[in-house]
Amino acid sequence: MTFPVSISLEEAADRLAIRQLIDAYAHCADRRDAKGQMALFATNTVFEVYMDSRAPEPTQKLSGRDALAPVFDNLNSYHATTHFNGQSTIQIDGVAATGESYCIAHHLTVEGEKRTLMVASIRYLDKFAKQDGAWLFAERKLMVDWTDTRGSVA
């Protein structure tokens, strides 16, 4: 992987905007803002979930922004979540870009006195599109590399 020695102000602004998009996705997820999360996607987006990142086919594939509502609403089944974004790589080509970003996601379930914490290591493989001056997800592949589920105390 090579890194640019210098970048233009426009590219720096694009990189920052894409990173803000990635972070907004996690923020909306943790706030249970499904509509806000959906607004981060292009109308004709494709969203694929790979519950096992080594699988050749997705566990779930959705087409179109409106199809995302049930996936994002599913987060309501958890008492709380925290998505912590890590490193990302972005390649920009005009009004299109691709990228990979890492996330450690914590999902807390509370059933009576029983608390369970599921931690997932996720990579997102993204295609971005700049539309009307704003970057959106054109395609997002959610790749679960591993999970760990354990008891949790208050």
Side-chain angles (χ1 to χ4, degrees):
M1 178 178 295
T2 61
F3 299 98
V5 175
S6 65
I7 60 173
S8 68
L9 287 176
E10 181 179 2
E11 182 177 347
D14 285 338
R15 288 180 177 282
L16 179 58
I18 291 170
R19 183 56 194 217
Q20 289 175 324
L21 176 69
I22 292 166
D23 290 343
Y25 176 91
H27 178 84
C28 288
D30 292 337
R31 301 300 177 282
R32 303 303 182 271
D33 181 3
K35 289 185 181 189
Q37 215 170 358
M38 289 168 59
L40 303 173
F41 288 80
T43 305
N44 61 345
T45 194
V46 174
F47 187 87
E48 296 179 354
V49 177
Y50 290 77
M51 291 307 292
D52 179 350
S53 63
R54 296 164 301 202
E57 296 296 323
T59 309
Q60 187 173 23
K61 182 175 181 176
L62 304 163
S63 297
R65 181 189 293 159
D66 292 338
L68 302 177
V71 172
F72 299 152
D73 282 337
N74 183 55
L75 288 172
N76 288 311
S77 65
Y78 298 102
H79 182 75
T81 60
T82 300
H83 291 75
F84 185 77
N85 289 325
Q87 72 270 24
S88 60
T89 56
I90 307 294
Q91 296 79 39
I92 299 173
D93 185 12
V95 295
T98 58
E100 179 178 31
S101 58
Y102 285 67
C103 177
I104 297 292
H106 299 76
H107 300 77
L108 179 65
T109 302
V110 177
E111 296 172 349
E113 297 295 316
K114 182 179 178 186
R115 295 168 51 98
T116 306
L117 180 64
M118 188 272 286
V119 179
S121 175
I122 299 170
R123 286 178 299 116
Y124 295 102
L125 306 178
D126 295 312
K127 292 183 181 177
F128 306 98
K130 192 174 188 180
Q131 298 177 354
D132 298 323
W135 286 98
L136 299 171
F137 294 107
E139 178 181 293
R140 180 155 250 214
K141 293 181 180 180
L142 187 160
M143 314 294 287
V144 178
D145 287 328
W146 56 262
T147 63
D148 180 27
T149 303
R150 58 192 116 149
S152 175
V153 293

